[in-house]
């Protein structure tokens, strides 16, 4: 790892061999004009073009609500960008439209990716998706509410339910926020499936949404949390993550799963919080959920050499750290992760960093995942409704997932 980090510093020092204009379509991680990702890219491109006067890079930034569709339309119109930094790469890789990562990146740069993330960018053991941003999830709890109630952070499901029961008895509106609404239900679902000992896919890679363990997990959620009134006034199927986060920053939520950006939001509102790994059935969950967004390069314009040179620069330790700091995300490279871990100013991110290497990611290498994820967002909330049968809802989702998988 030390060798990789040292060699990674060579990125971006060698100019490409010919003049070119590269196009990049990227997602916006900012929440206002002041911290728009356009500003990050403009600064980075200016520095790159100063080193490489023969290359121009044109970056267009779009909101997450439109960026994936924008790239999809450009590709369909025969006008693919040279690079896209979006949420999924597998569809394009399956159609042979992308460069392989080792056709682009220098060996030190490709070797510097956090191994768990690099593996998630592979289709058929070939890496096409280059991780660009990542995060993991932890259980946040309101320290003031816990201290007043004499509670300690839960390490198991039974302890979580007991703490939620105590908080409810003390008038806390939402002891545990369970956002299974359409915004990001696939994330909350995966966290609970992992804590129950399973996940979205079986060891052979096929979907296994209705496994016995997953059904048991949702039976517990339905009966022991939702059914006992421990998840607040909004039905989980109608509660979105953003609303749950906002309620936490108002001091109305005792516990919820969150990512690093929630720290800053809570601090701004003066909410004192603690963070622990996700509880499991009988103790700490064996794995947490990790999330990554992806950089990919299209072959259509044939600018592989220039793209690779630019991406070597993008993935330098300095640039990866700058992006991670700006948007409260985790670095996707080992060198930047090591630097963050060694920086006392980043100590609040240590718990998230320590989870990253063993995190489980969405099955993003499957071209069917986009459809399966959309189905989960719309349907999974029904599994914890008052008259629901979790096995029936998970079974329906599994049949749809298998059909989508077989259609690949």
């Amino acid at each position: 790892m030390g060798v990789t980090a040292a060699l990674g510093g060579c990125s971006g020092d060698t100019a490409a061999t010919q003049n070119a204009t590269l196009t990049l379509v990227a997602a916006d991680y900012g929440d206002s004009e002041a911290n728009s990702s356009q500003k990050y890219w403009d600064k980075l491109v200016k520095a790159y073009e100063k080193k490489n006067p023969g290359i121009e890079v044109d970056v267009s930034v779009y909101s997450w609500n439109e960026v994936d569709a924008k790239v999809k339309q450009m590709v369909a119109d025969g006008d693919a960008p040279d690079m896209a930094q979006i949420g999924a790469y597998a569809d394009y890789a399956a159609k042979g439209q992308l460069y392989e990562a080792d056709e682009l990146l220098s060996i030190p740069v490709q070797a510097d990716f956090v191994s768990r993330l690099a593996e998630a960018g592979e289709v058929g053991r070939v890496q096409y998706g280059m991780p660009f941003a990542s995060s993991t999830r932890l259980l946040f709890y309101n320290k003031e509410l816990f201290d007043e109630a004499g509670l300690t952070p839960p390490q198991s499901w039974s302890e979580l339910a007991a703490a939620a029961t105590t908080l409810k008895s003390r008038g806390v509106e939402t002891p545990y926020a369970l956002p299974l609404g359409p915004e990001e239900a696939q994330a909350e679902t995966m966290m609970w499936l992992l804590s129950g000992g399973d996940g979205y896919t079986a060891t052979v890679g096929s979907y296994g949404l209705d496994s016995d363990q997953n059904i048991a997990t949702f039976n517990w959620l339905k009966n022991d949390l939702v059914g006992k009134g421990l998840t607040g006034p909004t039905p989980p199927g109608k509660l979105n993550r953003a609303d749950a986060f906002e309620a936490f920053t108002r001091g109305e939520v005792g516990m919820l799963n969150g990512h690093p950006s929630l720290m800053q939001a809570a601090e701004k509102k003066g909410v004192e919080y603690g963070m622990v790994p996700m509880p499991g059935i009988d103790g700490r969950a064996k794995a947490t959920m990790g999330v990554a967004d992806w950089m990919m390069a299209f072959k259509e314009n044939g600018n592989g050499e220039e793209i690779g040179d630019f991406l070597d620069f993008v993935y330098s330790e300095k640039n990866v750290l700058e992006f991670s700091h700006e948007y409260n995300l985790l670095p996707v490279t080992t060198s930047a992760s090591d630097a963050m871990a060694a920086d006392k100013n980043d100590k609040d991110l240590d718990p998230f960093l320590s989870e990253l290497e063993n995190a489980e990611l969405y099955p993003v290498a499957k071209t069917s995942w986009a459809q399966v994820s959309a189905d989960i967002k719309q349907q999974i909330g029904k599994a914890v409704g008052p008259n629901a049968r979790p096995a029936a809802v998970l079974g329906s989702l599994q049949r749809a997932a298998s059909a989508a998988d077989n259609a690949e």
Side-chain angles (χ1 to χ4, degrees):
M1 289 170 66
V3 172
T4 299
L7 291 173
C10 300
S11 302
D13 289 335
T14 304
T17 58
Q18 65 184 61
N19 294 339
T21 297
L22 302 178
T23 54
L24 166 62
V25 174
D28 194 353
Y29 289 81
D31 55 13
S32 67
E33 187 175 337
N35 69 344
S36 165
S37 293
Q38 189 72 56
K39 291 190 173 182
Y40 169 82
W41 285 112
D42 287 348
K43 179 181 177 183
L44 184 147
V45 165
K46 184 177 180 181
Y48 177 76
E49 290 178 346
K50 185 176 181 180
K51 279 189 170 186
N52 300 274
I55 309 297
E56 294 182 7
V57 185
D58 182 10
V59 183
S60 301
V61 173
Y62 297 89
S63 76
W64 274 109
N65 292 330
E66 57 183 340
V67 69
D68 289 281
K70 179 69 176 177
V71 172
K72 185 176 182 179
Q73 188 60 54
M74 291 174 72
V75 173
D77 291 343
D79 187 29
D82 291 294
M83 295 162 283
Q85 186 274 298
I86 51 178
Y89 65 87
D91 275 357
Y92 303 117
K95 294 174 183 174
Q97 295 169 322
L98 301 181
Y99 283 106
E100 298 175 13
D102 61 8
E103 294 178 301
L104 301 167
L105 303 175
S106 64
I107 292 173
V109 171
Q110 188 176 7
D112 197 24
F113 287 129
V114 173
S115 60
R116 201 75 189 87
L117 302 177
E119 290 166 9
E122 295 177 355
V123 175
R125 298 186 180 276
V126 176
Q127 185 181 0
Y128 296 93
M130 293 162 278
F132 183 76
S134 69
S135 71
T136 55
R137 304 297 168 91
L138 295 171
L139 181 74
F140 282 67
Y141 63 94
N142 183 308
K143 269 191 173 181
E144 182 178 353
L145 296 178
F146 266 62
D147 290 345
E148 289 174 351
L151 296 170
T152 56
Q155 297 182 19
S156 66
W157 287 3
S158 59
E159 291 179 8
L160 187 149
T165 300
T166 298
L167 292 173
K168 182 184 178 184
S169 72
R170 296 176 61 84
V172 175
E173 185 173 55
T174 304
Y176 178 85
L178 184 67
L180 295 177
E183 179 193 358
E184 206 193 26
Q186 84 286 0
E188 184 74 11
T189 297
M190 184 168 173
M191 284 182 274
W192 278 102
L193 297 185
L194 290 171
S195 74
D198 206 346
Y200 282 134
T201 56
T203 53
V204 294
S206 58
Y207 288 108
L209 278 75
D210 62 347
S211 70
D212 291 344
Q213 286 169 293
N214 289 344
I215 290 171
T217 294
F218 265 83
N219 279 333
W220 187 86
L221 287 172
K222 177 182 181 295
N223 298 325
D224 290 66
L225 283 190
V226 182
K228 293 182 178 178
L230 302 178
T231 53
T234 304
K238 295 184 178 180
L239 179 64
N240 283 324
R241 183 203 64 186
D243 296 327
F245 277 20
E246 191 173 327
F248 185 81
T249 67
R250 294 196 300 265
E252 298 168 3
V253 173
M255 298 171 280
L256 83 170
N257 288 314
H259 51 61
S261 68
L262 183 56
M263 296 189 301
Q264 189 176 58
E267 288 164 4
K268 283 182 179 178
K269 295 293 184 69
V271 173
E272 193 176 356
Y273 60 88
M275 303 178 299
V276 293
M278 179 69 176
I281 298 174
D282 300 313
R284 175 177 170 173
K286 293 181 176 62
T288 189
M289 186 188 77
V291 177
D293 301 320
W294 303 96
M295 178 73 75
M296 63 214 68
F298 290 90
K299 295 191 289 188
E300 185 174 307
N301 300 320
N303 293 322
E305 181 182 357
E306 291 74 27
I307 292 169
D309 188 75
F310 176 66
L311 291 180
D312 274 1
F313 183 78
V314 168
Y315 284 108
S316 68
E317 181 183 314
K318 173 182 179 292
N319 288 327
V320 171
L321 275 173
E322 187 169 329
F323 181 85
S324 301
H325 284 137
E326 179 66 32
Y327 300 108
N328 288 301
L329 293 163
L330 302 183
V332 296
T333 61
T334 300
S335 59
S337 295
D338 289 348
M340 181 176 279
D343 189 339
K344 66 180 186 299
N345 294 322
D346 289 323
K347 286 301 177 187
D348 54 350
L349 286 169
D350 279 355
F352 293 97
L353 277 171
S354 66
E355 295 288 315
L356 185 58
E357 194 61 54
N358 295 313
E360 294 286 340
L361 279 74
Y362 298 132
V364 289
K366 288 179 168 291
T367 59
S368 58
W369 171 242
Q371 183 58 54
V372 173
S373 175
D375 290 344
I376 292 168
K377 289 179 183 181
Q378 295 300 321
Q379 302 297 326
I380 197 64
K382 299 174 183 177
V384 295
N387 300 311
R389 288 177 51 241
V393 175
L394 289 169
S396 175
L397 285 167
Q398 172 61 27
R399 289 189 293 276
S402 293
D405 210 21
N406 291 333
E408 287 189 5

